[in-house]
């Protein structure tokens, strides 16, 4: 090794010499080969053979060889070795690890500074930093030592002691002595933890559930140990447990499906259906965390360590002797606890509910939804209609508390009598008129006007109008009242027939010209029509240009049609073959603007034919 160092020094010196000679002066020419020539330097070239002649043969004894070999230490970077403190500076601690130079450790890595001569374990971080120093670490050595101990605990499945130092997101940090581990919040205790801060500073035993060498990650569990400790207690409690036992417990946790109750060493489940005989939406409606309650054991499983508890079982079953408590036709009072489209549920007592169907709420009102009359929480009276003990169902009625007005409806509203009412609802086919509270009758569109063809009730009525009606029909069984408005007045069509006999010429004003006919206004409420159904398209176009809406023309009455509330008219159109165009057979019909068909009687057709014949005779004369 010394020879190699000397050779390197010599080579470096030679290079420096060459560089100095070449760069000393650009104008100076130096022949390096001549400069290095042995004859110039007066040097002698020595061969390997010559060196072998001069090599000294020194024999070293085994004793001295062993002593010399022991001075060398087989050490590597990233290892933990034992060193001796040889000195301290203002910044570092010097440690001899048996290498060619002392290593340094920053003083901040020591809680208590060592004394020269003390042996300590150190971790070799690097043999040479930028300044050529050997960098050691006391903290890393302690970590490696502790890490090995923790690994052994994990492999042997032993428990380890640690101190819960602080809280972080998702759990706690546990100090295992130099090494820190993670304790998930779910593994902190066997019961749900509401205040994690109360565990900070607690020293406890933990089980290592995860050990990641590569990431230097350790996960602990305290819950596993606690569950193991409770297992023996639970078995002891279960061995003494019997179905039907009444126990005291503490509400430990509340969920959507029930509550867990601590019975002292073992937890039991109190299902939501076993809390009360009545209706509850959530266990928290009756229970609160930490509450002391009395429960009854209804089932348990020693192998699965499960206990089922009940509270309502401590009270008598409310449906027992239900017929004695609620006889048929008796009147009861209860509170509305639920509302559906088809009715409302009334709580008569805890665990006993009855249904009031929407059809049992009113004799006369058409109720679309129970909310039209009631809301949840209302107290109502009802009558017991039916009880089904097996299905635990009670049918109630409210309308049965009052007399049925339809029982005496025929005596109160006799056919042919007139009454006043209020328009409560309009439909496409008619209007509902309220004669008294809860009693409605229907006026059909065909019974609203003698003269006007009513297409919708809103054409002549509107809601809340007061109108006079006549009773046309009454049915208590079907709960139906048929009313009429036009019947209040006499039928004017008898007088109209007398006023408008067939063949009479009158003046009419055109109000509509349609493809199927011309509509004339004859009086305020009376209309007439000239049918054009059998005319050709050319004749109709000629007619549209000749007759205008709003103008008056002379027309002839053909017949009076009461069914369609029209007078059939004849008009001298002044077209070729006019009479032929107006002829129709017995089955022919004329549609007005409301798409109503008007049948022309045969005698009218015969009259038209007679008129045609007479006209021909006059022409011949």
């Amino acid at each position: 090794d010394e020879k190699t160092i000397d050779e390197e020094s010599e080579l470096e010196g030679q290079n420096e010499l060459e560089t100095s000679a070449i760069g000393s002066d650009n104008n100076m020419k130096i022949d390096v080969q001549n400069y290095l020539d042995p004859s110039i330097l007066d040097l002698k070239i020595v061969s390997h053979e010559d060196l072998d002649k001069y090599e000294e043969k020194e024999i070293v004894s085994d004793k001295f060889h062993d002593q010399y070999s022991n001075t060398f230490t087989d050490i590597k970077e990233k290892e933990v070795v034992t060193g001796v403190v040889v000195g301290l500076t203002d910044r570092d601690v010097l440690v001899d690890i048996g290498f060619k130079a002392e290593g340094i450790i920053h003083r901040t890595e020591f809680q208590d500074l060592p004394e020269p001569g003390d042996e300590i374990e150190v971790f070799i971080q690097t043999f040479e930093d930028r300044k050529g120093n050997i960098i050691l670490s006391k903290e890393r050595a302690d970590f490696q030592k502790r890490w090995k101990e923790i690994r052994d605990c994990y492999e042997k499945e032993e428990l380890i002691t640690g101190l819960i130092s602080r809280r972080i997101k998702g759990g706690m940090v546990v100090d295992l002595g130099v090494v820190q581990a993670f304790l998930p919040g779910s593994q902190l205790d066997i019961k749900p933890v509401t205040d994690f801060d109360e565990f900070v500073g607690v020293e406890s035993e933990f089980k290592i559930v995860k050990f990641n060498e590569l990431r230097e990650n350790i996960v602990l569990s305290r819950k596993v140990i606690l569950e193991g400790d409770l297992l023996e207690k639970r078995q002891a409690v279960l061995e003494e447990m019997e179905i039907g036992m009444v126990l005291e417990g503490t509400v430990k946790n509340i969920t959507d499906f029930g509550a867990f109750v601590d019975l002292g060493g073992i937890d039991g489940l109190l299902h939501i259906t076993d809390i009360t005989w009545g209706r509850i939406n959530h266990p928290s409606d009756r229970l609160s965390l930490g509450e002391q309650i009395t429960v009854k054991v209804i089932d348990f499983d020693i192998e699965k360590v499960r206990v089922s508890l009940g509270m309502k079982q401590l009270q008598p079953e409310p449906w027992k002797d239900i017929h004695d408590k609620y006889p048929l036709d008796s009147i009861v009072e209860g509170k509305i606890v639920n509302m559906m489209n088809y009715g409302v549920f009334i709580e008569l007592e805890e665990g006993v509910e009855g249904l009031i169907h929407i059809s049992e709420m009113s004799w006369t009102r058409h109720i679309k939804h129970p909310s039209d009359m009631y809301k949840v929480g209302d107290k109502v009276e009802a009558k017991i209609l039916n009880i089904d003990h097996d299905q635990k169902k009670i049918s109630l009625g409210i309308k049965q508390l009052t007399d049925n007005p339809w029982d005496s409806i025929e005596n109160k509203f006799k056919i042919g009598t007139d009454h006043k009412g209020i328009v409560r609802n309009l439909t496409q086919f008619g209007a509902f008129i309220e004669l008294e509270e809860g009693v409605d009758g229907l006026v059909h569109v065909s019974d609203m006007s003698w003269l006007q063809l009513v297409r919708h009730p809103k054409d002549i009525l509107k809601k809340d109008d007061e109108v006079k009606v006549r009773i046309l029909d009454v049915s208590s069984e079907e709960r139906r009242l048929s009313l009429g408005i036009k019947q209040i007045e006499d039928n004017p069509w008898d007088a109209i027939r007398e006023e408008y006999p067939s063949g009479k010429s009158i003046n009419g004003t055109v109000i509509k010209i349609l493809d199927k006919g011309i509509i004339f206004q004859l009086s305020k409420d009376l209309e007439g029509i000239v049918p054009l159904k059998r005319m050709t398209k050319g004749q109709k176009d000629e007619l549209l240009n000749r007759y205008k809406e709003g103008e008056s023309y002379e027309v002839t009455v053909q017949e009076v049609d009461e069914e369609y509330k029209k007078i059939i008219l004849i008009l001298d159109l002044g077209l070729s073959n006019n009479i032929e165009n107006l002829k129709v057979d017995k089955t022919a019909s004329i549609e007005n603007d409301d798409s109503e068909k008007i049948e022309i009687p045969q005698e009218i057709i015969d009259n038209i034919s007679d008129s045609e014949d007479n006209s021909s005779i006059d022409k011949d004369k």
Side-chain angles (χ1 to χ4, degrees):
D1 292 338
E2 292 178 356
K3 180 179 179 181
T4 301
I5 293 173
D6 292 339
E7 288 176 353
E8 291 176 354
S9 301
E10 182 179 351
L11 181 59
E12 290 178 358
Q14 180 176 335
N15 291 337
E16 285 183 8
L17 180 60
E18 291 177 358
T19 303
S20 176
I22 294 173
S24 59
D25 191 350
N26 293 332
N27 298 323
M28 180 185 294
K29 304 298 183 181
I30 298 178
D31 189 354
V32 177
Q33 294 295 330
N34 292 334
Y35 181 73
L36 296 177
D37 191 284
S39 60
I40 298 175
L41 299 176
D42 195 16
L43 300 175
K44 182 179 180 179
I45 304 299
V46 180
S47 64
H48 289 286
E49 291 78 3
D50 295 334
L51 289 174
D52 293 337
K53 295 179 182 179
Y54 294 103
E55 183 178 1
E56 295 185 7
K57 302 296 185 180
E58 182 178 357
I59 299 175
V60 181
S61 65
D62 294 338
K63 178 180 179 181
F64 289 111
H65 183 273
D66 293 339
Q67 292 179 354
Y68 182 73
S69 300
N70 290 336
T71 61
F72 291 96
T73 304
D74 187 14
I75 59 177
K76 299 177 182 178
E77 288 185 352
K78 312 302 179 184
E79 284 188 349
V80 177
V81 297
T82 302
V84 179
V85 178
V86 296
L88 289 85
T89 67
D90 294 339
R91 180 179 178 182
D92 302 316
V93 175
L94 305 180
V95 181
D96 181 11
I97 59 172
F99 202 58
K100 63 181 181 180
E102 291 83 8
I104 60 174
I105 304 174
H106 202 279
R107 292 168 67 108
T108 57
E109 293 196 23
F110 295 90
Q111 293 182 353
D112 298 323
L113 288 175
E115 298 292 334
D118 291 347
E119 287 189 355
I120 60 174
E121 289 186 343
V122 295
F123 179 80
I124 304 174
Q125 290 187 344
T126 179
F127 281 130
E128 185 176 2
D129 65 355
R130 291 181 298 177
K131 297 181 180 180
N133 298 320
I134 300 174
I135 305 302
L136 308 176
S137 174
K138 177 67 170 58
E139 291 180 348
R140 188 63 182 175
D142 295 340
F143 180 87
Q144 290 292 98
K145 181 181 179 180
R146 183 58 175 164
W147 185 262
K148 183 178 181 302
E149 295 173 354
I150 296 172
R151 185 194 302 114
D152 293 340
C153 288
Y154 175 71
E155 293 174 352
K156 296 178 182 179
E157 297 185 353
E158 297 178 347
L159 302 181
I160 191 169
T161 303
L163 178 69
I164 301 177
S165 58
R166 69 180 188 277
R167 179 183 177 183
I168 60 174
K169 183 178 181 180
M172 314 292 286
V173 174
V174 180
D175 186 359
L176 300 178
V178 183
V179 179
Q180 292 186 334
F182 175 63
L183 175 63
S186 60
Q187 299 298 315
L188 182 58
D189 203 346
I190 56 176
K191 60 183 180 181
V193 179
T194 56
D195 186 8
F196 286 86
D197 293 333
E198 67 180 7
F199 287 89
V200 176
V202 174
E203 187 176 27
S204 178
E205 286 187 329
F206 303 92
K207 182 177 180 180
I208 304 172
V209 295
K210 183 177 180 182
F211 186 89
N212 192 317
E213 188 84 40
L214 181 61
R215 297 184 178 180
E216 296 183 350
N217 181 28
I218 299 174
V219 180
L220 306 176
S221 174
R222 180 171 175 265
K223 179 180 179 180
V224 174
I225 301 174
L226 297 176
E227 288 177 342
D229 295 339
L230 287 176
L231 184 59
E232 296 181 0
K233 297 180 181 179
R234 290 176 177 176
Q235 293 293 341
V237 173
L238 286 173
E239 289 176 358
E240 298 178 358
M241 186 170 291
E242 295 179 358
I243 294 178
M245 291 181 62
V246 178
L247 303 173
E248 296 291 328
T250 304
V251 179
K252 184 178 179 180
N253 188 26
I254 296 177
T255 65
D256 292 338
F257 56 85
F260 290 94
V261 181
D262 185 359
L263 302 175
I266 189 171
D267 292 345
L269 173 62
L270 176 61
H271 198 269
I272 186 173
T273 57
D274 293 313
I275 295 176
T276 175
W277 291 110
R279 178 194 297 266
I280 58 174
N281 297 319
H282 195 272
S284 60
D285 295 343
R286 290 296 186 91
L287 303 173
S288 58
L289 286 175
E291 181 182 356
Q292 298 289 327
I293 60 173
T294 302
V295 292
K296 187 176 184 178
V297 178
I298 57 178
D299 193 13
F300 66 93
D301 189 326
I302 296 178
E303 294 181 358
K304 296 182 179 180
V305 195
R306 291 180 180 175
V307 180
S308 297
L309 306 174
M311 283 181 64
K312 72 180 185 181
Q313 287 77 7
L314 298 174
Q315 304 295 329
E317 208 276 328
W319 281 86
K320 186 178 181 180
D321 302 328
I322 194 72
H323 291 281
D324 296 334
K325 292 189 292 184
Y326 301 102
L328 291 179
D329 296 328
S330 62
I331 299 175
V332 294
E333 184 179 23
K335 181 178 68 173
I336 298 178
V337 293
N338 194 20
M339 185 173 293
M340 307 298 290
N341 292 333
Y342 53 83
V344 295
F345 287 92
I346 308 298
E347 184 182 54
L348 303 180
E349 65 176 78
E350 187 172 318
V352 178
E353 294 181 3
L355 171 65
I356 303 176
H357 195 270
I358 193 171
S359 62
E360 304 296 342
M361 293 183 179
S362 175
W363 291 112
T364 56
R365 289 186 59 180
H366 301 283
I367 302 172
K368 297 180 179 179
H369 193 276
S371 59
D372 296 341
M373 296 182 63
Y374 305 104
K375 63 180 182 297
V376 174
D378 285 350
K379 289 186 177 181
V380 296
E381 284 189 344
K383 178 177 284 190
I384 303 293
L385 304 180
N386 184 41
I387 296 178
D388 187 339
H389 185 276
D390 296 334
Q391 297 293 328
K392 290 183 170 56
K393 294 181 179 179
I394 298 179
S395 298
L396 304 174
I398 293 178
K399 69 182 184 181
Q400 288 77 8
L401 299 177
T402 59
D403 294 333
N404 185 354
W406 290 98
D407 292 341
S408 58
I409 198 73
E410 294 178 355
N411 295 328
K412 192 169 186 179
F413 298 99
K414 294 182 179 181
I415 296 176
T417 59
D418 296 341
H419 302 270
K420 288 185 178 181
I422 305 297
V423 179
R424 293 303 185 191
N425 192 23
L426 299 176
T427 66
Q428 182 70 35
F429 54 84
F432 287 95
I433 310 298
E434 183 183 57
L435 300 182
E436 65 178 30
E437 186 176 359
V439 177
D440 292 346
L442 173 66
V443 179
H444 195 269
V445 288
S446 61
D447 293 316
M448 291 186 177
S449 175
W450 288 113
L451 301 178
Q452 185 177 351
L453 187 62
V454 182
R455 289 176 291 181
H456 194 282
K458 65 182 180 181
D459 295 340
I460 59 175
L461 296 175
K462 61 178 181 294
K463 290 184 68 173
D464 299 328
D465 279 352
E466 184 179 58
V467 294
K468 191 174 182 180
V469 294
R470 178 165 293 179
I471 307 298
L472 304 181
D473 188 23
V474 180
S475 175
S476 58
E477 294 181 358
E478 298 179 4
R479 296 181 182 179
R480 185 181 64 188
L481 270 175
S482 296
L483 309 176
I485 294 177
K486 71 180 184 181
Q487 287 80 2
I488 298 295
E489 300 175 352
D490 295 333
N491 188 346
W493 286 100
D494 293 336
I496 291 175
R497 288 190 184 92
E498 295 178 1
E499 185 179 355
Y500 297 96
S502 178
K504 181 181 179 180
S505 297
I506 56 175
N507 285 327
T509 303
V510 177
I511 57 175
K512 285 184 182 179
I513 299 178
L514 305 174
D515 186 57
K516 298 175 183 180
I518 303 175
I519 309 299
F520 286 84
Q521 188 75 52
L522 304 181
S523 64
K524 180 181 179 181
D525 297 320
L526 188 61
E527 295 179 358
I529 181 171
V530 176
L532 302 177
K533 184 176 181 180
R534 297 179 60 85
M535 295 185 66
T536 65
K537 185 177 184 302
Q539 292 173 333
K540 290 180 181 180
D541 293 339
E542 182 180 351
L543 186 67
L544 294 177
N545 293 329
R546 180 177 300 180
Y547 294 89
K548 305 296 181 181
E549 292 184 4
E551 296 184 2
S552 296
Y553 300 91
E554 185 175 347
V555 293
T556 302
V557 176
Q558 178 174 312
E559 74 161 325
V560 175
D561 194 325
E562 180 180 351
E563 180 181 358
Y564 294 102
K565 299 178 176 59
K566 290 287 190 296
I567 296 180
I568 309 303
L569 304 173
I570 300 174
L571 181 66
D572 185 5
L573 304 178
L575 301 175
S576 59
N577 299 324
N578 180 36
I579 299 299
E580 289 294 333
N581 290 327
L582 290 177
K583 282 185 178 181
V584 292
D585 57 30
K586 191 174 183 179
T587 60
S589 62
I590 302 174
E591 296 185 4
N592 60 10
D593 56 318
D594 297 320
S595 298
E596 303 282 357
K597 293 186 177 181
I598 301 176
E599 295 184 358
I600 301 177
Q602 182 61 38
E603 62 177 295
I604 302 299
I605 299 174
D606 294 339
N607 291 336
I608 297 175
S609 299
D610 293 341
S611 300
E612 181 182 5
D613 293 339
N614 293 332
S615 177
S616 299
I617 293 172
D618 292 339
K619 287 182 180 180
D620 293 339
K621 289 181 180 180

